[in-house]
């Protein structure tokens, strides 16, 4: 009985992971943490995360205290923790 519960739990987590629900939350947490550590004075807040099929990565959007909106790519698909293209716009305003 204990093994059945463990198998069901692993299956549920696997389904959530490959459906993109868990990676989207990882992308949001990693992106928010990155901008808070590297650009603290800008007070950027995450406004959305979505998967971009053509890029194979997630797109994460931030809104700053000055009402500017920034978008960055964060990837890879199943464990999105690396910020990529789009940081230049934030760095130039910083």
């Amino acid at each position: 009985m204990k093994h059945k519960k463990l198998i069901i739990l692993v299956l549920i987590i696997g389904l959530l992971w490959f459906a993109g629900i868990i990676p989207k939350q990882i992308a949001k947490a990693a992106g928010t943490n990155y901008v808070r550590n590297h650009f603290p004075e800008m007070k950027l807040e995450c406004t959305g995360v979505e998967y971009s099929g053509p890029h194979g990565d997630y797109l994460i959007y931030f809104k700053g205290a000055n009402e500017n909106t920034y978008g960055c790519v964060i990837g890879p698909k199943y464990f999105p923790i690396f910020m990529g293209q789009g940081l230049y716009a934030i760095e130039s305003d910083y």
Side-chain angles (χ1 to χ4, degrees), residues 3-16:
H3 294 298
K4 284 185 180 182
K5 289 182 182 179
L6 181 62
I7 291 171
I8 291 171
L9 179 65
V10 169
L11 286 175
I12 290 172
I13 290 173
L15 287 173
L16 291 173

Side-chain angles (χ1 to χ4, degrees), residues 20-29 49-51 58 77 80:
I21 295 169
I22 293 175
K24 188 182 275 191
Q25 296 304 315
I26 292 171
K28 183 176 181 178
V49 178
E50 62 185 53
Y51 180 72
Y58 287 88
K77 180 179 182 178

Side-chain angles (χ1 to χ4, degrees), residues 1 7 14 24 35 37 45 55-56 59 66 69 84 87-88 94:
M1 187 67 161
I7 291 171
K24 188 182 275 191
V35 296
N37 288 336
E45 293 296 323
H55 294 104
L59 302 175
N66 58 0
T69 302
L87 286 176
Y88 180 74
Y94 186 68

Side-chain angles (χ1 to χ4, degrees), residues 26-46 60 62 72-74 80-88 90-91 94:
I26 292 171
K28 183 176 181 178
T32 301
N33 188 37
Y34 183 89
V35 296
R36 282 188 184 154
N37 288 336
H38 289 85
F39 313 107
E41 290 86 19
M42 292 182 74
K43 296 183 178 23
L44 296 173
E45 293 296 323
C46 180
I60 185 167
F62 298 99
C72 295
V73 174
I74 186 168
I81 57 170
F82 300 110
M83 297 288 285
Q85 188 175 13
L87 286 176
Y88 180 74
I90 299 173
E91 289 173 353
Y94 186 68

